[in-house]
Amino acid sequence: MNKDDPTIEQVKRAADVLRKTSTGLLLTGRIRDGKLELDKETLQEIEKRFPNADRAFVAMNSPFDPVSQCV
């Protein structure tokens, strides 16, 4: 992490705002070495809300610039 990276609390606060104003599922995580890594909490929420699902999704803001558009 570098000094400009957001703290975990900042990310959680941003996620709380999005969660309260969103009608869909909030996916949080990071892109590392070109791969999407979802946070543990996100995976648990998916398991809770869609326990037997066989679904696909499209990220609507993709592709994106991970430097300018991160929290």
Side-chain angles (χ1 to χ4, degrees), residues 28-39:
T28 59
R30 63 177 49 224
I31 298 172
R32 188 184 318 231
D33 299 325
K35 295 180 183 177
L36 175 65
E37 296 179 356
L38 296 176
D39 292 337

Side-chain angles (χ1 to χ4, degrees), residues 4 6 13-14 20 22 32 37 42 46 48 62-63 69 71:
D4 296 324
R13 281 195 302 272
K20 289 174 185 172
S22 174
R32 188 184 318 231
E37 296 179 356
T42 296
I46 291 169
K48 182 175 91 177
S62 170
Q69 294 186 20
V71 185

